[in-house]
């Protein structure tokens, strides 16, 4: 019996289930304010590690200075942790308590 012989039955072509690729969770890199690291040094680190221009770096530094912390950028976890570690190490190598933290984006 073919589908044409039975009008109440419909056949649908088989479709392959599509696999959805989930985006990796994102992480924020946060500059934490301290009272010892010179502002000019913080701006240099932001420019070198995070590729910010002069005005962006200054704005981020001032926001952290006034509010205690500032989100610099959002990356995948590996990139965020690498950049935060690199920036923190630059501070340590120059004798400053400069610190960058990472936090999962909500």
């Amino acid at each position: 019996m073919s589908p044409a012989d039975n009008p109440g039955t419909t056949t649908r072509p088989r479709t392959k289930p599509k696999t959805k690729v989930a985006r990796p969770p994102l992480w924020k890199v946060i500059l934490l304010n301290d009272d010892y690291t010179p502002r000019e040094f913080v701006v240099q680190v932001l420019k070198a590690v995070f590729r910010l221009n002069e005005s962006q770096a200054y704005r981020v530094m001032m926001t952290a200075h006034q509010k205690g912390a500032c989100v610099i950028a959002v990356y995948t976890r590996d990139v965020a942790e690498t950049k935060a570690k690199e920036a923190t190490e630059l501070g340590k190598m120059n004798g400053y308590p400069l610190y960058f933290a990472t936090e999962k984006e909500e």
Side-chain angles (χ1 to χ4, degrees):
M1 182 185 315
S2 70
D5 296 337
N6 189 352
T9 304
T10 58
T11 58
R12 293 188 339 209
R14 288 188 193 184
T15 58
K16 292 181 181 176
K18 291 184 180 180
T19 56
K20 289 188 178 182
V21 179
R23 288 186 148 188
L26 296 176
W27 290 70
K28 300 182 274 193
V29 179
I30 304 165
L31 166 61
L32 301 174
N33 186 50
D34 68 73
D35 294 332
Y36 303 102
T37 308
R39 293 178 181 186
E40 298 80 23
F41 182 77
V42 175
V43 169
Q44 286 178 341
V45 170
L46 292 170
K47 287 168 58 178
V49 176
F50 298 97
R51 306 284 186 235
L52 300 180
N53 65 36
E54 186 79 27
S55 64
Q56 291 170 324
Y58 184 80
R59 219 172 313 129
V60 166
M61 178 274 301
M62 285 306 294
T63 301
H65 178 70
Q66 293 166 350
K67 296 187 176 185
C70 181
V71 174
I72 301 165
V74 179
Y75 302 102
T76 58
R77 185 177 187 174
D78 289 346
V79 174
E81 288 178 350
T82 300
K83 286 190 176 281
K85 183 178 179 184
E86 181 183 351
T88 299
E89 289 298 319
L90 279 172
K92 278 185 186 175
M93 288 185 333
N94 287 278
Y96 299 120
L98 183 63
Y99 187 73
F100 293 80
T102 58
E103 182 179 293
K104 191 171 184 178
E105 174 113 296
E106 295 298 321

